[in-house]
Amino acid sequence: MSSTMQLTDWLHKALQFEKHINQVVIGQQDVVRLMLITVFARGHVLLEGNVGVGKTTLLRAVAHGLGGGYQRIEGTIDLMPSDLIYYTYLDKDGKPRVDPGPLLHHGEHLATFFFNEINRARPQVHSLLLRAMAERSIAAFNQDYLFPHLQVFADRNRVEKEETFELPAAAKDRFMMEINIDVPSSDSVLDELMFNPRFHDTDQLISQLPDSGMEYTQLNGFAEKLQQNIQISAKLKQYALSLWRATQKPQDFGVTLSDVVMPQLMLSGASPRGMSYLIRAAKVRAWLHSRDYVLPEDVQAVFAPCMGHRLFLSPLYAYRHEQLLPALLTGLLSAVAAP
């Protein structure tokens, strides 16, 4: 099959997959599209939102559609790195047993690892997860375990802050996107979610999803081919480079924020890895719009979710990050001229 035919065939499957998820997670079309982009860009996802807005339902729907091994773990303050690798128990004869934990249970067939409320886990756990995300492998029992198809989905709620641990910069940088999910604003959507019994049983709702027709073992190879076949012009490369420089010193590009001394604002801008993720995501978005070339609007559409968790403000302004970061991201896109 030619590359063009393969891209077209997978595009049909991807859009059908997106359509089915939107029937399960209603009123979140933009969030679902971003999730779809990360799936085909083979990136990890950090999902943030208030309690009960559908984060878990969305992640389970995506995992169900992708197939392969699925594991989930709950973040707790007493969770240790070993809990991801193995667990011990007494069998029916009262003898101690050691069985594989969630990371090892499916071996190389593990496709989706869902870490619920990741910010409740200790930094030691984050460190182990970081290696699994970065290298798709871990060392245990004197051998290396490989997870070639692994995609990590993690979520955290923005309400409770007690007994939580902020993710370190290195861990955040391994997530391709941080996607915010809010309560739908449409009254008709809220009416469906609250009063339609179809949305009251999540297990049954997920089980009704049809087969996506996508083989998870082929995703890596297809994603690589997608990146090779979607073109980006020299002018657009320069535009992306300017955006990266603007994240380092926004004041040099004329960005101003209210009540902020701009030269004192940034502690750290986006990493080069973050910008490579941005370009990967922009190419996937172009493909989902049936194009084989990237437009500035593709870069702009994924800029905030790819960059927001990679920009660190100085301690002087860090306490205002929820207010300042959205304004900064908007200012950067406005200040840097698109080709």
Side-chain angles (χ1 to χ4, degrees):
M1 183 183 293
S2 68
S3 295
T4 301
M5 290 179 62
Q6 190 174 16
L7 289 175
T8 302
D9 180 56
W10 276 82
L11 177 59
H12 175 72
K13 295 177 182 178
L15 294 178
Q16 283 295 110
F17 181 40
E18 180 181 38
K19 177 183 176 181
H20 294 150
I21 294 177
N22 277 320
Q23 293 171 351
V24 171
V25 184
I26 60 174
Q28 302 288 355
Q29 287 84 355
D30 292 342
V31 171
V32 172
R33 171 53 61 97
L34 290 174
M35 289 287 288
L36 193 67
I37 289 173
T38 59
V39 165
F40 286 96
R42 307 308 296 143
H44 307 294
V45 181
L46 184 60
L47 201 61
E48 184 176 83
N50 291 331
V51 177
V53 294
K55 300 188 299 296
T56 302
T57 302
L58 172 60
L59 296 176
R60 287 184 59 190
V62 172
H64 182 276
L66 294 178
Y70 167 78
Q71 284 291 309
R72 168 178 175 164
I73 196 166
E74 304 293 324
T76 61
I77 194 171
D78 60 347
L79 190 71
M80 297 301 292
S82 58
D83 295 323
L84 276 65
I85 300 173
Y86 65 88
Y87 69 95
T88 60
Y89 65 100
L90 296 178
D91 65 15
K92 62 181 181 180
D93 298 321
K95 295 181 179 180
R97 292 285 301 272
V98 178
D99 276 358
L103 272 179
L104 302 186
H105 182 75
H106 291 288
E108 65 179 16
H109 299 292
L110 179 61
T112 304
F113 187 75
F114 173 27
F115 204 127
N116 190 37
E117 297 207 9
I118 189 174
N119 56 327
R120 292 197 180 278
R122 294 176 177 273
Q124 299 96 315
V125 179
H126 297 159
S127 296
L128 177 65
L129 185 67
L130 179 63
R131 172 171 177 179
M133 293 168 61
E135 303 176 15
R136 287 186 164 86
S137 70
I138 61 169
F141 308 115
N142 297 317
Q143 68 180 94
D144 288 333
Y145 291 84
L146 303 180
F147 314 109
H149 312 293
L150 175 65
Q151 189 165 23
V152 173
F153 296 143
D155 76 348
R156 57 182 179 178
N157 74 68
R158 62 170 75 113
V159 177
E160 297 170 323
K161 300 298 182 183
E162 295 181 0
E163 295 186 340
T164 61
F165 301 87
E166 181 61 34
L167 291 177
K172 283 187 173 183
D173 200 52
R174 291 294 178 180
F175 287 97
M176 173 172 280
M177 289 189 189
E178 180 180 68
I179 304 173
N180 292 310
I181 179 168
D182 295 311
V183 177
S185 58
S186 168
D187 287 345
S188 61
V189 171
L190 291 172
D191 183 82
E192 281 287 297
L193 292 173
M194 285 192 258
F195 302 113
N196 188 338
R198 175 174 178 264
F199 296 100
H200 296 172
D201 188 336
T202 302
D203 291 336
Q204 184 176 359
L205 189 65
I206 299 296
S207 67
Q208 294 173 352
L209 279 171
D211 185 3
S212 67
M214 299 185 297
E215 175 55 51
Y216 75 96
T217 57
Q218 298 176 3
L219 273 173
N220 289 341
F222 173 72
E224 182 178 352
K225 183 164 291 188
L226 189 157
Q227 294 295 318
Q228 293 171 350
N229 283 272
I230 305 299
Q231 304 302 313
I232 181 168
S233 67
K235 288 185 177 180
L236 205 54
K237 290 179 181 178
Q238 186 59 47
Y239 174 58
L241 185 59
S242 296
L243 282 173
W244 177 77
R245 287 175 174 152
T247 68
Q248 313 297 319
K249 295 182 177 181
Q251 67 276 7
D252 291 355
F253 289 78
V255 178
T256 59
L257 300 178
S258 177
D259 298 323
V260 173
V261 180
M262 293 305 296
Q264 301 177 10
L265 176 64
M266 300 303 301
L267 182 64
S268 174
S271 66
R273 180 194 294 120
M275 293 306 295
S276 72
Y277 283 164
L278 176 72
I279 298 305
R280 281 167 57 183
K283 286 186 174 184
V284 175
R285 185 184 187 274
W287 169 68
L288 289 172
H289 284 263
S290 303
R291 284 185 272 105
D292 62 358
Y293 55 91
V294 178
L295 294 176
E297 64 192 51
D298 297 316
V299 176
Q300 294 160 358
V302 297
F303 183 74
C306 283
M307 292 294 108
H309 59 297
R310 292 187 164 88
L311 306 185
F312 296 91
L313 307 185
S314 66
L316 183 63
Y317 296 106
Y319 74 98
R320 295 173 55 195
H321 74 279
E322 291 186 2
Q323 168 201 349
L324 294 178
L325 271 180
L328 175 61
L329 293 166
T330 300
L332 292 172
L333 288 176
S334 299
V336 179

